Amino acid sequence: GDSVTQMEGPVTLSEEAFLTINCTYTATGYPSLFWYVQYPGEGLQLLLKATKADDKGSNKGFEATYRKETTSFHLEKGSVQVSDSAVYFCALTPTQGGSEKLVFGKGTKLTVNP
Amino acid sequence: GAGVSQTPSNKVTEKGKYVELRCDPISGHTALYWYRQSLGQGPEFLIYFQGTGAADDSGLPNDRFFAVRPEGSVSTLKIQRTERGDSAVYLCASSLTVGNTEAFFGQGTRLTVV
């Protein structure tokens, strides 16, 4: 079945450091890919998404590019802030654009120190 | 309300008891989803509704789990004869429709079976 594998955490960085969180997926067909973020004490929020190969999703300085050839959707940010401390989840849905039946990775906890 | 509301936020129950978890979606959202998140794992899909009907319940682990959405708004997840392995955070999400629309998550109900 469809699955998502993301790098294990926790990840600890200093403010203004470069961030990469790796995510690879296994899916049949043409999935849509997502990054969700969970800030302390809050619900999951959509951070960015891409619905087809070579699309780049971006939001709040974060970016991820849908790479079909490597089945990857790595999350990057050039300069992290303390406020980016959260748990990040990579996810997919089996269909283009759909929100139903999200398949999540295990999550990566990011801590950014001042 | 402004967001997806789940009640209670915490529930402790004894093994073998019956529990109900409630989800109030964002007003006007026709699609509603339930996920379960065990410690250290990403959310796992349980069921989703389009309107009043369960469009896909393939994620429900067994027949002790059941969910309803009788008027197409509020949904209740029901668990019979609870077991310690049911302990998890149960997440609800809603979206305007099923399809190319964002799913908004509630903060979840933490269920502990003792």
Side-chain angles (χ1 to χ4, degrees):
Chain A
D2 297 344
S3 65
V4 173
T5 302
Q6 63 182 103
M7 67 185 282
E8 304 230 348
V11 174
T12 302
L13 296 173
S14 297
E15 207 164 23
E16 299 183 3
F18 183 85
L19 169 71
T20 300
I21 301 178
N22 289 338
C23 172
T24 57
Y25 68 90
T26 302
T28 55
Y30 303 94
S32 293
L33 303 174
F34 304 81
W35 278 99
Y36 277 81
V37 60
Q38 187 168 33
Y39 298 105
E42 299 185 17
L44 279 166
Q45 301 174 25
L46 178 63
L47 180 60
L48 53 84
K49 72 176 186 180
T51 58
K52 60 183 186 297
D54 300 325
D55 268 3
K56 178 186 284 187
S58 60
N59 186 25
K60 299 182 180 180
F62 291 89
E63 293 184 338
T65 301
Y66 189 143
R67 300 285 188 201
K68 190 169 173 59
E69 63 277 13
T70 54
T71 62
S72 65
F73 193 55
H74 305 320
L75 182 68
E76 297 182 335
K77 187 174 185 181
S79 176
V80 294
Q81 305 300 311
V82 172
S83 57
D84 293 327
S85 298
V87 182
Y88 293 82
F89 293 90
C90 186
L92 65 80
T93 55
T95 58
Q96 279 194 326
S99 300
E100 70 276 17
K101 294 190 74 169
L102 284 158
V103 176
F104 287 89
K106 291 186 177 182
T108 303
K109 183 175 182 179
L110 170 67
T111 301
V112 180
N113 295 318
Chain B
V4 177
S5 176
Q6 293 188 245
T7 54
S9 55
N10 281 283
K11 175 73 176 176
V12 180
T13 190
E14 292 181 348
K15 179 175 176 295
K17 298 290 189 183
Y18 168 83
V19 296
E20 291 189 351
L21 311 179
R22 176 186 169 106
C23 173
D24 281 88
I26 293 172
S27 178
H29 280 194
T30 62
L32 183 146
Y33 317 83
W34 284 99
Y35 289 83
R36 178 169 71 172
Q37 187 174 16
S38 301
L39 194 62
Q41 303 294 316
E44 293 179 302
F45 169 80
L46 295 177
I47 183 171
Y48 87 87
F49 292 85
Q50 179 60 46
T52 59
D56 187 335
D57 64 357
S58 61
L60 294 177
N62 51 59
D63 61 6
R64 295 187 297 106
F65 289 74
F66 191 70
V68 296
R69 195 185 185 200
E71 297 178 359
S73 179
V74 171
S75 177
T76 305
L77 179 65
K78 308 180 181 196
I79 310 174
Q80 298 177 324
R81 304 183 304 279
T82 50
E83 300 177 357
R84 293 197 178 89
D86 298 335
S87 297
V89 176
Y90 289 82
L91 300 172
C92 177
S94 70
S95 64
L96 196 58
T97 61
V98 171
N100 192 16
T101 59
E102 179 180 349
F104 294 84
F105 282 80
Q107 293 193 31
T109 294
R110 182 176 298 277
L111 174 67
T112 304
V113 181
V114 297

